[in-house]
Amino acid sequence: MSRLQTRFAELKQQNRAALVTFVTAGDPDYATSLAILKGLPKAGADVIELGMPFTDPMADGPAIQLANIRALAAKQDLAKTLQMVREFRVEDSTTPLVLMGYFNPIHKMGVERFIGEALEAGVDGLIVVDLPPEHNEDLCDPAQAAGIDFIRLTTPTTDDKRLPTVLNGSSGFVYYVSVAGVTGAGSATLEHVEQAVARLRRHTDLPIAIGFGIRTPDHAATIARLADGVVVGSALIDRIAQAETPQQAVDGVLGLCAELAQGVRGARG
Amino acid sequence: MTSFRNGPDAKGLFGSFGGQYVAETLMPLIHDLAAEYEKAKQDPAFAKELAYFQRDYVGRPSPLYFAERLTEHCGGAKIYLKREELNHTGAHKINNCIGQILLARRMGKKRIIAETGAGMHGVATATVAARFGLQCVIYMGTTDIDRQQANVFRMKLLGAEVIPVTAGTGTLKDAMNEALRDWVTNVDSTFYLIGTVAGPHPYPAMVRDFQAVIGSETRDQMQAQEGRLPDSLVACIGGGSNAMGLFHPFLDDQSVQIIGVEAAGHGIATGQHAASLNGGVPGVLHGNRTFLLQNDDGQIIDAHSISAGLDYPGIGPEHAWLHDIGRVEYTSITDKEALAAFHKCCRLEGIIPALESAHALAEVFKRAPGLPKDHLMVVNLSGRGDKDMQTVMHHYDEQEEHI
């Protein structure tokens, strides 16, 4: 079993949802970002999404745009992001880690080389925002053939007709983007999320994680009652933006992560 | 002979360029748009309506004008100007806007968004939105707002809301990112009116089709005036819509030499330019695979050109393909060369060209003198230069100071 399968199976047994955290690699700088990454599992993150910085994050709202700008200004690149995963894996061989970002930096590195290095570094899955199933052959197919999960985003606009196409190439888990919009935008109603999860369950046995607009422990707890995973990104990244020192950034992110984890873990109690 | 005019394939690819590299939220919408456009293409009522607006609202056909004084000055090829600058709103952009707004209306969309660089596409979009009573939001980088204030005011006069984009360098690429963000947020109500032959399929093909009226008219007009096809075509390229519009109807005419002119800014060697084909490598941005200005890590590099309309780090995927297979020759012209051509055109023909079009003219000034007098050369005068007064004045002052 892959790390993702193992983790979601364990949590299912414990009857609780996964807390999935997103931070951008290299934000605000390599050392601080690595300290955050290494601290996340202890702070209660069950699955880690690590953003690969890109100059033009078209699907992201202001918080993650700024995170990308900070990381790139600190000279983060794809090679360093992979290095960060390697350093993370020295101490942690169980927490699933998913790289998330846009296709161009991977395209530039070369798909074959990227997959090889990602695999060797200990990457479990990929989320590439601008690679819909129409372009499976570009990265999804070779990544899966090599044993890396390809996690798809499904959205409120993915209708029943299209859903099988999207889910076909999915593995690891399914990421439901609960609002049509950019990351960090307003959140969906509970009713909408309930219906969406029910609809997805009719089409797939994969775990379903819900993201976009989830910011507080209470909100995370509410979602954790409905879905298999709760994704939080912008709210964590805001803590980095607000920090005046690297230590404040680390403490801020890990502090919020611990609160969110408490919310998620107590949700179904 | 295989045709060069059949692209893209069902996946929106021209060779290995193009495609649909967008977030899932937009995919269903893009498929809808492609299907709706296919239907519209087959519908005689759509064609009739489009023809009506092209003629009575845009002012088509635009003249194919024999530039006698430019020809004399160069002393070689016979130079014709395709006068797209005489269109309503002063550039070729309206050809595409009229087509897309009619499509938006068919699809029942009430809100139009667009990105703009020089502001010409923004003005053209605001114009057609006003004409059809639709809400209009234009994204424009703050750098471009500063250098194109007259166009910002025109858009506001036409009832559009202009949203300044501060991200990145505040130019066309950043405006396009922000328009895409708006689109994923307002998918149901909103039609994204892309201004060039780029973006996810079907945009590159659709915008090309709406602009191809330029080349089709040129064929007929040249036939009427000279009784034959032109020998060469020259057009400037940012995203590449005016060029694609002129070139496409001639792609299968092997006798016609086709030249696209990119913006070399301060010179390609300086790294400060907007020449994606001459100074970039293939990558994926804004929904399509094409040539991009990027660094070794695949991060997009900001383009530079004196002309805001060419200031984009990518290029339409069909151009990338035509470059790849060698059907079209792509050259580049620096800021300085474009400015010199701008002044020559003003003085010799009494026509103030857009700085974008001045890049094409500069290429003509390089080529025409060495060509025989019976060589028929068409240059696309894609826009008028009224919007560039501020920029040109600024450089004029600099020149005066040097003197």
Side-chain angles (χ1 to χ4, degrees), chain A residues 53-61 65 69 72 76-79 103-105 107-109 129-135 137-138 153-155 157-159 162 166 177 180-182, chain B residues 11 13 18-28 31 167-168 173-174 177-178 180-181 184-188 281-287 289 292 294-300:
Chain A
F54 184 47
T55 38
D56 295 77
M58 286 151 284
D60 284 299
Q65 286 177 47
I69 290 169
L72 291 170
Q76 185 74 14
D77 58 22
L78 188 49
F103 186 41
N104 200 52
H107 182 278
K108 188 72 177 64
M109 176 178 272
V129 181
D130 52 357
L131 278 181
E134 280 75 359
H135 290 290
E137 69 279 15
D138 287 30
L153 305 179
T154 63
T155 72
T157 58
T158 317
D159 58 17
R162 183 170 168 79
V166 175
V177 172
V182 293
Chain B
K11 299 181 85 176
L13 292 169
Q20 299 181 306
Y21 295 88
V22 295
E24 175 56 29
T25 312
L26 295 177
M27 282 308 300
H31 285 308
K173 152 182 103 87
D174 310 297
N177 288 336
E178 212 51 40
L180 282 164
R181 290 181 187 119
V184 296
T185 310
N186 302 292
V187 260
D188 290 333
V281 292
V284 171
L285 181 72
H286 293 154
R289 183 171 185 277
L292 300 172
Q294 54 182 316
N295 70 12
D296 290 341
D297 187 42
Q299 306 298 338
I300 307 304

Coordinates of all heavy atoms in Angstrom, one line a residue, chain A residues 53-61 65 69 72 76-79 103-105 107-109 129-135 137-138 153-155 157-159 162 166 177 180-182, chain B residues 11 13 18-28 31 167-168 173-174 177-178 180-181 184-188 281-287 289 292 294-300:
Chain A
P53 N 6.6 26.6 -6.0 CA 6.3 28.0 -6.4 C 6.3 28.2 -7.9 O 7.1 27.5 -8.6 CB 7.5 28.7 -5.8 CG 8.0 27.8 -4.7 CD 7.7 26.4 -5.1
F54 N 5.5 29.1 -8.3 CA 5.4 29.5 -9.7 C 5.1 31.0 -9.8 O 4.3 31.5 -9.0 CB 4.3 28.6 -10.4 CG 4.2 28.8 -11.9 CD1 5.3 28.8 -12.7 CD2 3.0 29.1 -12.5 CE1 5.2 29.0 -14.1 CE2 2.9 29.2 -13.9 CZ 4.0 29.2 -14.7
T55 N 5.7 31.6 -10.9 CA 5.5 33.0 -11.0 C 4.0 33.4 -11.3 O 3.6 34.5 -11.1 CB 6.3 33.6 -12.2 OG1 6.3 32.6 -13.3 CG2 7.7 33.9 -11.8
D56 N 3.3 32.5 -11.9 CA 1.9 32.8 -12.4 C 0.9 31.8 -11.9 O 0.3 31.1 -12.6 CB 1.9 32.9 -13.9 CG 2.8 34.0 -14.4 OD1 4.0 33.8 -14.5 OD2 2.2 35.0 -14.8
P57 N 0.6 31.9 -10.6 CA -0.3 30.9 -10.0 C -1.8 31.3 -10.2 O -2.4 31.9 -9.4 CB 0.0 31.0 -8.5 CG 0.6 32.3 -8.3 CD 1.2 32.8 -9.5
M58 N -2.3 31.0 -11.4 CA -3.5 31.5 -11.9 C -4.8 31.1 -11.1 O -5.8 31.8 -11.2 CB -3.7 31.1 -13.4 CG -2.9 31.8 -14.3 SD -2.5 30.7 -15.7 CE -1.3 29.6 -15.1
A59 N -4.7 30.0 -10.4 CA -5.8 29.5 -9.7 C -5.8 29.9 -8.2 O -6.6 29.4 -7.4 CB -6.0 28.0 -9.9
D60 N -4.8 30.7 -7.8 CA -4.6 31.0 -6.4 C -5.0 32.4 -6.1 O -4.9 33.3 -6.9 CB -3.2 30.8 -6.0 CG -2.9 29.3 -5.9 OD1 -3.5 28.7 -5.0 OD2 -2.0 28.8 -6.6
G61 N -5.6 32.6 -4.9 CA -5.9 33.9 -4.4 C -4.7 34.6 -3.8 O -3.6 34.1 -3.9
Q65 N -0.7 33.6 -3.7 CA 0.1 34.4 -4.7 C 1.3 35.0 -4.0 O 2.5 34.9 -4.4 CB -0.7 35.5 -5.3 CG -1.7 35.1 -6.3 CD -2.5 36.3 -6.7 OE1 -2.0 37.4 -7.0 NE2 -3.8 36.2 -6.8
I69 N 5.4 34.5 -4.3 CA 6.4 35.6 -4.5 C 7.5 35.6 -3.5 O 8.7 35.7 -3.8 CB 5.6 37.0 -4.5 CG1 4.7 37.1 -5.8 CG2 6.6 38.1 -4.4 CD1 3.7 38.2 -5.7
L72 N 9.9 32.6 -4.3 CA 10.7 32.8 -5.4 C 11.8 33.9 -5.1 O 12.9 33.8 -5.6 CB 9.9 33.2 -6.7 CG 9.0 32.1 -7.2 CD1 8.0 32.6 -8.3 CD2 9.8 31.0 -7.8
Q76 N 13.8 30.0 -4.2 CA 13.3 28.6 -4.2 C 13.1 28.2 -5.7 O 12.7 29.0 -6.5 CB 12.0 28.5 -3.5 CG 11.4 27.1 -3.3 CD 12.2 26.3 -2.3 OE1 13.0 26.8 -1.5 NE2 12.0 25.0 -2.3
D77 N 13.5 27.0 -6.0 CA 13.1 26.4 -7.3 C 12.7 25.0 -7.1 O 12.7 24.4 -6.0 CB 14.3 26.6 -8.3 CG 15.6 25.9 -7.8 OD1 15.5 25.0 -7.0 OD2 16.7 26.3 -8.3
L78 N 12.4 24.3 -8.2 CA 11.9 22.9 -8.1 C 12.9 22.0 -7.5 O 12.6 21.1 -6.8 CB 11.4 22.5 -9.5 CG 10.7 21.1 -9.6 CD1 9.5 21.1 -8.6 CD2 10.1 20.9 -11.0
A79 N 14.2 22.2 -7.9 CA 15.2 21.3 -7.4 C 15.3 21.4 -5.9 O 15.5 20.4 -5.2 CB 16.6 21.7 -8.0
F103 N 2.1 23.3 -14.1 CA 2.9 22.3 -14.9 C 4.2 22.9 -15.4 O 5.2 22.1 -15.6 CB 2.0 21.9 -16.1 CG 2.6 20.8 -16.9 CD1 3.4 19.7 -16.3 CD2 2.5 20.8 -18.3 CE1 3.9 18.7 -17.1 CE2 3.1 19.8 -19.1 CZ 3.8 18.8 -18.5
N104 N 4.3 24.2 -15.6 CA 5.5 24.6 -16.4 C 6.9 24.3 -15.8 O 7.8 23.9 -16.5 CB 5.4 26.1 -16.7 CG 6.3 26.5 -17.9 OD1 6.3 25.9 -18.9 ND2 7.2 27.5 -17.6
P105 N 7.0 24.5 -14.5 CA 8.4 24.2 -13.9 C 8.7 22.7 -14.1 O 9.9 22.3 -14.3 CB 8.2 24.5 -12.4 CG 7.2 25.6 -12.4 CD 6.2 25.2 -13.5
H107 N 7.5 20.8 -16.6 CA 7.7 20.7 -18.0 C 9.2 21.1 -18.4 O 9.9 20.5 -19.2 CB 6.7 21.6 -18.7 CG 6.8 21.6 -20.2 ND1 7.7 22.3 -21.0 CD2 6.0 20.9 -21.2 CE1 7.5 22.1 -22.3 NE2 6.5 21.3 -22.4
K108 N 9.6 22.2 -17.7 CA 11.0 22.7 -18.0 C 12.0 21.7 -17.5 O 13.1 21.5 -18.2 CB 11.1 24.0 -17.3 CG 12.4 24.8 -17.7 CD 12.4 25.3 -19.1 CE 13.6 26.1 -19.5 NZ 14.8 25.3 -19.6
M109 N 11.8 21.1 -16.3 CA 12.8 20.2 -15.8 C 12.8 18.9 -16.7 O 13.9 18.3 -16.8 CB 12.4 19.8 -14.3 CG 13.3 18.7 -13.7 SD 12.9 18.4 -12.0 CE 13.9 19.6 -11.2
V129 N -2.5 21.8 -11.0 CA -3.7 22.5 -11.2 C -4.1 22.7 -12.7 O -5.3 22.6 -13.1 CB -3.6 23.9 -10.6 CG1 -4.9 24.7 -10.8 CG2 -3.3 23.8 -9.1
D130 N -3.1 22.9 -13.6 CA -3.4 23.2 -15.0 C -3.3 22.0 -15.9 O -3.0 22.1 -17.1 CB -2.7 24.4 -15.5 CG -1.2 24.3 -15.2 OD1 -0.7 23.4 -14.6 OD2 -0.5 25.3 -15.7
L131 N -3.4 20.8 -15.3 CA -3.4 19.6 -16.1 C -4.7 18.8 -15.9 O -4.8 17.9 -15.1 CB -2.2 18.7 -15.7 CG -0.8 19.0 -16.3 CD1 0.2 18.0 -15.9 CD2 -0.9 19.0 -17.9
P132 N -5.7 19.1 -16.7 CA -7.0 18.4 -16.7 C -6.8 17.0 -17.3 O -5.8 16.8 -18.0 CB -7.9 19.3 -17.5 CG -7.0 20.0 -18.4 CD -5.7 20.2 -17.7
P133 N -7.8 16.1 -17.2 CA -7.6 14.8 -17.7 C -7.4 14.8 -19.2 O -6.8 13.8 -19.8 CB -8.9 14.1 -17.4 CG -9.8 15.1 -16.8 CD -9.0 16.3 -16.4
E134 N -7.8 15.9 -19.9 CA -7.5 16.0 -21.3 C -6.0 15.9 -21.6 O -5.6 15.6 -22.8 CB -8.1 17.4 -21.8 CG -9.6 17.4 -22.1 CD -10.4 17.5 -20.8 OE1 -9.8 17.5 -19.7 OE2 -11.6 17.5 -20.9
H135 N -5.2 16.1 -20.7 CA -3.7 16.1 -20.9 C -3.1 15.0 -20.0 O -1.9 15.2 -19.6 CB -3.1 17.5 -20.6 CG -3.5 18.5 -21.7 ND1 -3.0 18.4 -23.0 CD2 -4.3 19.5 -21.7 CE1 -3.5 19.4 -23.7 NE2 -4.3 20.1 -22.9
E137 N -1.6 12.3 -20.7 CA -0.4 11.7 -21.2 C 0.8 12.6 -20.8 O 2.0 12.1 -20.8 CB -0.5 11.5 -22.7 CG -0.5 12.7 -23.6 CD -1.9 13.3 -23.7 OE1 -2.8 13.0 -22.9 OE2 -2.1 14.1 -24.6
D138 N 0.6 13.9 -20.5 CA 1.7 14.8 -20.3 C 2.4 14.4 -19.0 O 3.6 14.5 -18.9 CB 1.2 16.2 -20.1 CG 0.8 16.9 -21.5 OD1 0.4 16.1 -22.4 OD2 1.0 18.1 -21.6
L153 N -8.4 17.5 -8.9 CA -9.4 18.5 -8.3 C -10.7 18.3 -9.0 O -10.8 18.2 -10.2 CB -8.9 19.9 -8.6 CG -7.5 20.3 -8.1 CD1 -7.2 21.7 -8.5 CD2 -7.4 20.1 -6.6
T154 N -11.8 18.1 -8.2 CA -13.1 18.2 -8.8 C -13.8 19.5 -8.2 O -13.4 19.9 -7.1 CB -14.0 17.0 -8.4 OG1 -14.2 16.9 -7.0 CG2 -13.3 15.7 -8.9
T155 N -14.7 20.0 -9.0 CA -15.2 21.4 -8.6 C -16.7 21.4 -8.7 O -17.3 20.4 -9.3 CB -14.6 22.4 -9.6 OG1 -15.2 22.3 -10.8 CG2 -13.1 22.3 -9.7
T157 N -18.3 22.8 -10.8 CA -18.7 22.8 -12.2 C -18.4 21.5 -12.9 O -18.8 21.3 -14.1 CB -17.9 23.9 -13.0 OG1 -16.5 23.6 -12.9 CG2 -18.2 25.3 -12.5
T158 N -17.8 20.5 -12.2 CA -17.6 19.2 -12.7 C -18.9 18.4 -12.6 O -19.3 17.9 -11.6 CB -16.5 18.4 -12.0 OG1 -15.4 19.3 -11.7 CG2 -16.0 17.2 -12.7
D159 N -19.7 18.4 -13.7 CA -21.0 17.8 -13.6 C -21.0 16.3 -13.7 O -19.9 15.7 -13.9 CB -22.0 18.4 -14.7 CG -21.5 18.2 -16.1 OD1 -20.5 17.4 -16.3 OD2 -21.9 18.9 -17.0
R162 N -19.2 14.7 -16.7 CA -17.7 14.9 -16.7 C -17.0 14.1 -15.6 O -15.8 13.8 -15.8 CB -17.4 16.4 -16.7 CG -15.9 16.6 -16.8 CD -15.6 18.1 -17.0 NE -14.1 18.3 -16.9 CZ -13.2 18.0 -17.8 NH1 -13.6 17.5 -19.0 NH2 -11.9 18.2 -17.5
V166 N -12.9 12.8 -15.0 CA -12.0 13.3 -14.0 C -11.5 12.3 -13.0 O -10.3 12.2 -12.7 CB -12.7 14.5 -13.3 CG1 -11.8 15.0 -12.2 CG2 -13.0 15.6 -14.2
V177 N -12.9 20.9 -4.6 CA -12.7 22.3 -4.5 C -14.2 22.8 -4.3 O -15.0 22.8 -5.2 CB -12.2 22.9 -5.8 CG1 -12.2 24.4 -5.7 CG2 -10.7 22.4 -6.0
A180 N -16.4 27.5 -6.6 CA -15.8 27.9 -7.8 C -15.0 29.2 -7.6 O -15.7 30.2 -7.3 CB -16.8 28.1 -8.9
G181 N -13.8 29.2 -7.6 CA -13.0 30.4 -7.3 C -11.5 30.1 -7.1 O -11.1 29.0 -7.4
V182 N -10.8 31.1 -6.6 CA -9.4 30.9 -6.3 C -9.2 30.4 -4.9 O -10.2 30.5 -4.1 CB -8.6 32.2 -6.6 CG1 -8.6 32.5 -8.1 CG2 -9.1 33.3 -5.8
Chain B
K11 N -8.1 18.0 -30.0 CA -7.7 18.4 -28.6 C -7.2 19.8 -28.6 O -6.7 20.2 -27.6 CB -6.6 17.4 -28.2 CG -7.0 16.0 -28.1 CD -5.9 15.1 -27.6 CE -5.9 15.0 -26.1 NZ -4.9 14.1 -25.6
L13 N -4.8 21.0 -30.5 CA -3.3 21.1 -30.7 C -3.0 21.4 -32.1 O -3.6 20.9 -33.1 CB -2.7 19.7 -30.3 CG -2.7 19.4 -28.8 CD1 -2.3 17.9 -28.7 CD2 -1.8 20.3 -28.0
G18 N -0.5 24.4 -28.1 CA -2.0 24.6 -27.9 C -2.5 23.8 -26.8 O -1.8 23.7 -25.7
G19 N -3.6 23.2 -26.9 CA -4.2 22.4 -25.9 C -5.1 23.1 -24.9 O -5.6 24.2 -25.2
Q20 N -5.4 22.5 -23.8 CA -6.4 23.1 -22.8 C -5.8 22.9 -21.4 O -6.3 22.1 -20.6 CB -7.7 22.4 -22.9 CG -8.4 22.5 -24.3 CD -9.7 21.9 -24.4 OE1 -9.9 20.7 -24.2 NE2 -10.7 22.6 -24.9
Y21 N -4.8 23.7 -21.1 CA -4.1 23.5 -19.8 C -4.7 24.5 -18.8 O -4.2 25.6 -18.5 CB -2.6 23.8 -20.0 CG -1.9 22.7 -20.8 CD1 -1.8 22.9 -22.2 CD2 -1.4 21.6 -20.2 CE1 -1.2 21.9 -23.0 CE2 -0.7 20.7 -21.0 CZ -0.6 20.8 -22.3 OH 0.0 19.8 -23.1
V22 N -5.9 24.2 -18.3 CA -6.6 25.1 -17.4 C -7.1 24.3 -16.2 O -7.2 23.0 -16.2 CB -7.8 25.9 -18.0 CG1 -7.3 26.8 -19.1 CG2 -8.8 25.0 -18.5
A23 N -7.5 25.0 -15.1 CA -8.0 24.4 -13.9 C -9.3 23.7 -14.2 O -10.1 24.1 -15.1 CB -8.2 25.5 -12.8
E24 N -9.6 22.7 -13.5 CA -10.8 21.9 -13.7 C -12.1 22.7 -13.7 O -13.0 22.5 -14.5 CB -10.9 20.8 -12.6 CG -12.2 19.9 -12.7 CD -12.5 19.3 -14.0 OE1 -11.5 18.9 -14.7 OE2 -13.7 19.1 -14.3
T25 N -12.1 23.7 -12.8 CA -13.3 24.6 -12.8 C -13.7 25.1 -14.1 O -14.9 25.3 -14.5 CB -13.1 25.8 -11.8 OG1 -12.5 25.3 -10.6 CG2 -14.4 26.5 -11.5
L26 N -12.7 25.4 -15.0 CA -13.0 26.0 -16.3 C -13.2 25.0 -17.4 O -13.8 25.4 -18.4 CB -11.8 26.9 -16.7 CG -11.6 28.1 -15.8 CD1 -10.3 28.9 -16.3 CD2 -12.8 29.0 -15.8
M27 N -12.9 23.8 -17.2 CA -12.9 22.8 -18.3 C -14.3 22.6 -18.9 O -14.5 22.7 -20.1 CB -12.4 21.4 -17.8 CG -10.9 21.4 -17.8 SD -10.0 21.9 -19.3 CE -10.7 20.8 -20.5
P28 N -15.4 22.4 -18.0 CA -16.7 22.2 -18.6 C -17.1 23.4 -19.4 O -17.7 23.3 -20.5 CB -17.6 22.1 -17.4 CG -16.7 21.6 -16.3 CD -15.4 22.3 -16.5
H31 N -15.3 23.5 -22.8 CA -16.0 22.5 -23.7 C -17.3 23.1 -24.3 O -17.6 23.0 -25.5 CB -16.2 21.2 -23.0 CG -15.0 20.4 -22.8 ND1 -14.1 20.1 -23.9 CD2 -14.4 19.8 -21.7 CE1 -13.1 19.4 -23.4 NE2 -13.2 19.2 -22.1
A167 N -0.1 42.8 -9.4 CA 0.8 41.7 -9.4 C 1.9 41.7 -10.4 O 1.7 42.3 -11.5 CB 0.0 40.4 -9.5
G168 N 3.0 41.0 -10.2 CA 4.1 40.9 -11.2 C 4.6 42.2 -11.6 O 4.8 43.1 -10.7
K173 N 0.5 39.9 -19.0 CA 0.5 38.6 -18.4 C -0.2 38.6 -17.1 O -1.0 37.7 -16.8 CB 2.0 38.2 -18.2 CG 2.3 37.2 -17.1 CD 3.7 36.8 -17.1 CE 4.5 37.5 -15.9 NZ 4.5 36.9 -14.7
D174 N 0.1 39.6 -16.3 CA -0.6 39.7 -14.9 C -2.1 40.0 -15.1 O -2.9 39.5 -14.3 CB 0.1 40.8 -14.1 CG 1.7 40.6 -14.2 OD1 2.1 39.6 -13.7 OD2 2.3 41.5 -14.7
N177 N -3.7 36.7 -15.8 CA -3.8 35.9 -14.6 C -5.1 36.3 -13.8 O -5.9 35.5 -13.4 CB -2.6 36.0 -13.7 CG -1.4 35.3 -14.3 OD1 -1.5 34.4 -15.1 ND2 -0.2 35.8 -13.9
E178 N -5.2 37.6 -13.7 CA -6.3 38.1 -12.9 C -7.6 37.9 -13.5 O -8.6 37.6 -12.9 CB -6.1 39.6 -12.6 CG -6.5 40.1 -11.3 CD -6.1 39.3 -10.1 OE1 -4.9 38.9 -10.0 OE2 -6.9 39.1 -9.1
L180 N -8.3 35.4 -15.5 CA -8.6 33.9 -15.3 C -9.1 33.7 -13.9 O -10.0 32.8 -13.7 CB -7.3 33.1 -15.5 CG -6.9 32.9 -17.0 CD1 -5.5 32.4 -17.1 CD2 -7.9 31.9 -17.6
R181 N -8.6 34.4 -12.9 CA -9.1 34.2 -11.5 C -10.5 34.7 -11.4 O -11.3 34.1 -10.7 CB -8.2 35.0 -10.5 CG -6.8 34.4 -10.4 CD -5.9 35.2 -9.4 NE -4.6 34.6 -9.4 CZ -3.5 35.3 -9.8 NH1 -3.5 36.6 -10.1 NH2 -2.3 34.7 -9.8
V184 N -12.8 31.9 -13.0 CA -13.0 30.7 -12.2 C -14.0 31.0 -11.1 O -14.7 30.1 -10.6 CB -11.8 30.0 -11.6 CG1 -10.9 29.4 -12.6 CG2 -11.1 30.8 -10.6
T185 N -14.0 32.3 -10.7 CA -14.9 32.7 -9.6 C -16.3 32.9 -10.1 O -17.3 32.8 -9.3 CB -14.3 34.0 -8.9 OG1 -13.0 33.7 -8.6 CG2 -15.1 34.3 -7.6
N186 N -16.5 33.4 -11.3 CA -17.8 33.8 -11.8 C -18.2 33.0 -13.1 O -18.7 33.5 -14.0 CB -17.8 35.3 -12.2 CG -17.5 36.1 -10.9 OD1 -18.2 36.2 -10.0 ND2 -16.3 36.7 -10.9
V187 N -17.9 31.7 -13.0 CA -18.0 30.8 -14.2 C -19.4 30.9 -14.9 O -19.5 31.0 -16.1 CB -17.7 29.3 -14.0 CG1 -16.4 29.0 -14.4 CG2 -18.0 29.0 -12.5
D188 N -20.4 30.9 -14.0 CA -21.8 30.8 -14.6 C -22.2 32.0 -15.4 O -22.8 31.9 -16.5 CB -22.8 30.5 -13.5 CG -22.6 29.2 -12.9 OD1 -22.1 28.3 -13.6 OD2 -23.0 29.0 -11.7
V281 N 11.6 29.3 -25.0 CA 11.5 27.9 -25.3 C 10.1 27.4 -24.9 O 9.4 28.1 -24.2 CB 12.6 27.1 -24.4 CG1 14.0 27.4 -24.9 CG2 12.4 27.4 -23.0
P282 N 9.7 26.2 -25.4 CA 8.4 25.8 -25.2 C 8.0 25.6 -23.7 O 8.9 25.1 -22.9 CB 8.3 24.4 -25.9 CG 9.3 24.6 -27.0 CD 10.4 25.4 -26.4
G283 N 6.8 25.9 -23.3 CA 6.4 25.7 -22.0 C 4.8 25.8 -21.9 O 4.2 25.8 -23.0
V284 N 4.3 25.8 -20.7 CA 2.8 25.9 -20.6 C 2.4 27.0 -19.7 O 2.9 27.2 -18.6 CB 2.3 24.5 -20.0 CG1 0.8 24.7 -19.6 CG2 2.5 23.4 -20.9
L285 N 1.6 27.9 -20.3 CA 1.1 29.1 -19.6 C -0.2 29.5 -20.1 O -0.4 29.4 -21.4 CB 2.1 30.2 -19.6 CG 1.7 31.5 -18.9 CD1 1.8 31.3 -17.4 CD2 2.6 32.7 -19.3
H286 N -1.1 30.0 -19.3 CA -2.4 30.6 -19.7 C -3.2 29.6 -20.6 O -3.7 30.1 -21.6 CB -2.2 31.9 -20.4 CG -1.7 33.0 -19.5 ND1 -0.9 34.1 -19.8 CD2 -1.8 33.1 -18.1 CE1 -0.7 34.8 -18.8 NE2 -1.2 34.3 -17.7
G287 N -3.1 28.4 -20.3 CA -4.0 27.4 -21.0 C -3.4 26.8 -22.2 O -4.1 25.9 -22.8
R289 N 0.2 25.3 -24.6 CA 1.7 25.0 -24.7 C 2.2 25.8 -25.8 O 1.6 25.7 -27.0 CB 1.9 23.5 -24.9 CG 3.4 23.1 -25.0 CD 3.6 21.6 -25.0 NE 5.0 21.3 -25.0 CZ 5.8 21.3 -26.0 NH1 5.3 21.5 -27.2 NH2 7.1 21.0 -25.9
L292 N 7.7 30.3 -24.6 CA 7.6 31.3 -23.5 C 8.9 31.8 -23.1 O 10.0 31.1 -23.2 CB 7.0 30.6 -22.3 CG 5.6 29.9 -22.4 CD1 5.3 29.1 -21.1 CD2 4.6 31.0 -22.6
Q294 N 11.2 32.2 -20.3 CA 11.2 31.6 -18.9 C 12.7 31.3 -18.5 O 13.5 31.3 -19.4 CB 10.4 30.3 -18.9 CG 10.8 29.3 -20.0 CD 10.0 28.0 -20.0 OE1 9.7 27.5 -19.0 NE2 9.6 27.6 -21.2
N295 N 12.9 31.1 -17.2 CA 14.2 30.8 -16.8 C 14.4 29.3 -16.7 O 13.6 28.5 -17.1 CB 14.5 31.5 -15.5 CG 13.8 30.9 -14.3 OD1 13.1 29.9 -14.4 ND2 13.8 31.6 -13.2
D296 N 15.6 28.9 -16.2 CA 15.9 27.5 -16.2 C 15.0 26.7 -15.3 O 14.9 25.4 -15.4 CB 17.3 27.3 -15.6 CG 18.4 27.7 -16.6 OD1 18.0 27.9 -17.8 OD2 19.5 28.0 -16.3
D297 N 14.3 27.3 -14.4 CA 13.3 26.7 -13.4 C 11.9 26.7 -14.0 O 11.0 26.3 -13.3 CB 13.4 27.3 -12.1 CG 12.6 26.6 -11.0 OD1 12.7 25.3 -11.0 OD2 11.9 27.2 -10.2
G298 N 11.7 27.2 -15.2 CA 10.4 27.3 -15.7 C 9.5 28.4 -15.1 O 8.3 28.4 -15.2
Q299 N 10.2 29.4 -14.5 CA 9.5 30.6 -14.0 C 9.4 31.6 -15.2 O 10.4 31.7 -16.0 CB 10.2 31.2 -12.8 CG 10.5 30.2 -11.7 CD 9.2 29.7 -11.1 OE1 8.2 30.2 -11.2 NE2 9.4 28.5 -10.4
I300 N 8.3 32.2 -15.3 CA 8.0 33.1 -16.5 C 8.8 34.4 -16.2 O 8.8 35.0 -15.2 CB 6.5 33.4 -16.6 CG1 5.7 32.1 -16.7 CG2 6.3 34.2 -17.9 CD1 6.2 31.1 -17.8

